[in-house]
Amino acid sequence: MYDIIIIGAGPAGLTAAINTAHRGLKTLVIEQYDKPGGQPLIFYPDKIIKDHPGFPIGVLAKEFARRVEMQAINAGAEIKCNEEALKINKIDDNLLEVKTNNGLYKSKRVIICTGMLNIPRKLPILENYKGKGIYYKIENLNEFKGKKVTVIGGGDNAFDSAIQIKEIASNVNILIKHAYAKAKEITVEEAESKGIKIYYNTELTSIINYPNSKKIKKIKILDTKTKLTSELSTDMIFSSIGFSTVYKFLKDNNIELNNDGTVKTNDNYETTDNYETNIKGVFAAGDLNGEAKLIAVASARGIQAAIQTFSSIKKPYWIE
């Protein structure tokens, strides 16, 4: 029996756990992957995070994940990895049950912090592509050594990955379907200063392999503004167009969503800003209900959800 069960051990989930545990609530964090850390650890462990407060020269994503995990454990939170949450059952107004692939756990409140589940979105053209050379994360930077790489996406992760790849690749291009990049201006300027060419209003239309081979030779691209097509010589494609939310898990648990697929919480209803979903006692925090997909913002939402769940259990908390 727990006071709080947190689903997801990314920045939002671990930060929420630190704060609920510090407030004396018996806290369990359930993580489906083999290590806590979430998206930073899974998708860009060797990337230097430069925009998080407290790290003037930046911090490696894997080191940041390690520190937050240690902080949660030291606060008293329990973390179970390799365990996937499947169903949240409401027993009564003050008791919930979380079913996982390994067992059942009961708690007074649940905070969903699954983020975007770390499943990369795929361009339709890449859905059925059987060839080699398509990447969604950097596991071994040396794979890009001396290669011509095309990065697809206009967000921070796309640009940060392109800059990281450019350190070892022979040539890097970025394709953005919009007329502007969503990445921070300073990051776009850094990419340009390193010789990365950015193609705006551009979409990938086809991939051409070498004859009798699964290796990429070149790609065809479309300028959506001029409607002109052209070809780019490339060896690898790095796709970074965002992540899919946990639709099946959310749907199975009757969690109401906004039109953009994020979780609708009380702050979305323009009532009390307490991060509670349409299911009483079930809260959501992090990328699932936030517009700005930044670690600092996800962590802040984790803190807010922790405070609200604590207040809802111990109300008025100074009496108990």
Side-chain angles (χ1 to χ4, degrees):
M1 177 67 193
Y2 295 89
D3 292 310
I4 301 284
I5 291 178
I6 298 168
I7 301 173
L14 290 175
T15 306
I18 292 166
N19 283 269
T20 55
H22 275 163
R23 285 170 169 75
L25 300 181
K26 189 176 181 182
T27 302
L28 171 66
V29 183
I30 297 172
E31 170 57 49
Q32 69 169 330
Y33 292 101
D34 59 351
K35 291 180 181 178
Q39 184 176 316
L41 184 65
I42 295 168
F43 276 88
Y44 45 88
D46 294 312
K47 169 185 167 182
I48 298 177
I49 299 169
K50 299 179 180 179
D51 57 2
H52 197 283
F55 300 98
I57 61 171
V59 59
L60 281 175
K62 59 187 176 185
E63 173 61 15
F64 176 82
R66 185 187 71 84
R67 292 188 184 195
V68 183
E69 176 193 358
M70 286 177 58
Q71 195 172 354
I73 292 172
N74 289 341
E78 181 182 350
I79 303 174
K80 288 182 179 289
C81 293
N82 290 313
E83 194 153 355
E84 182 181 2
L86 303 172
K87 188 73 175 172
I88 303 171
N89 297 312
K90 188 173 177 64
I91 298 175
D92 59 40
D93 284 345
N94 207 41
L95 187 60
L96 298 156
E97 181 183 73
V98 177
K99 180 182 179 182
T100 73
N101 57 323
N102 287 339
L104 290 171
Y105 306 95
K106 293 180 180 178
S107 68
K108 298 174 183 176
R109 301 289 185 272
V110 170
I111 308 176
I112 305 173
C113 297
T114 55
M116 308 311 274
L117 194 63
N118 306 316
I119 297 176
R121 289 178 183 154
K122 290 186 178 182
L123 288 169
I125 193 171
L126 299 179
E127 286 284 356
N128 299 313
Y129 179 72
K130 303 299 182 184
K132 297 179 180 179
I134 309 297
Y135 293 81
Y136 295 94
K137 60 180 177 179
I138 301 173
E139 291 184 339
N140 180 4
L141 188 60
N142 285 325
E143 290 181 304
F144 301 94
K145 187 174 183 179
K147 302 294 185 180
K148 291 173 286 186
V149 183
T150 298
V151 176
I152 301 174
D156 285 313
N157 189 55
F159 272 82
D160 287 338
S161 298
I163 291 168
Q164 189 178 0
I165 291 170
K166 186 63 172 67
E167 294 176 4
I168 201 167
S170 64
N171 182 63
V172 177
N173 296 310
I174 299 178
L175 309 185
I176 304 175
K177 71 175 182 179
H178 301 293
Y180 58 91
K182 292 183 179 179
K184 292 184 289 292
E185 185 175 349
I186 189 172
T187 309
V188 176
E189 291 174 355
E190 182 180 357
E192 291 174 332
S193 71
K194 292 183 179 296
I196 297 172
K197 187 170 182 180
I198 305 169
Y199 292 80
Y200 295 97
N201 299 304
T202 302
E203 293 183 355
L204 172 69
T205 59
S206 64
I207 300 171
I208 301 171
N209 292 340
Y210 285 98
N212 303 315
S213 173
K214 292 185 176 181
K215 292 184 177 180
I216 301 172
K217 181 180 181 180
K218 56 186 175 180
I219 59 174
K220 287 187 177 181
I221 58 176
L222 170 69
D223 185 318
T224 57
K225 195 172 181 179
T226 65
K227 304 302 179 183
L228 296 175
T229 60
S230 58
E231 295 182 349
L232 278 180
S233 176
T234 192
D235 302 308
M236 297 175 169
I237 295 172
F238 186 94
S239 181
S240 179
I241 59 171
F243 304 91
S244 299
T245 54
V246 279
Y247 288 118
K248 187 178 187 308
F249 173 76
L250 299 173
K251 184 178 179 181
D252 288 347
N253 288 284
N254 300 310
I255 303 294
E256 191 173 349
L257 305 179
N258 294 306
N259 292 333
D260 62 358
T262 57
V263 173
K264 182 175 284 190
T265 54
N266 278 359
D267 51 312
N268 302 132
Y269 290 112
E270 298 183 356
T271 56
T272 306
D273 186 6
N274 72 351
Y275 297 88
E276 191 169 27
T277 69
N278 59 301
I279 310 261
K280 185 174 175 58
V282 179
F283 296 70
D287 284 357
L288 269 183
N289 67 337
E291 290 184 9
K293 311 302 183 189
L294 297 172
I295 292 174
V297 175
S299 299
R301 287 181 169 272
I303 294 171
Q304 284 279 69
I307 293 170
Q308 296 299 334
T309 52
F310 173 79
S311 297
S312 70
I313 293 172
K314 304 284 188 180
K315 193 173 184 179
Y317 59 84
W318 57 86
I319 293 177
E320 300 178 25

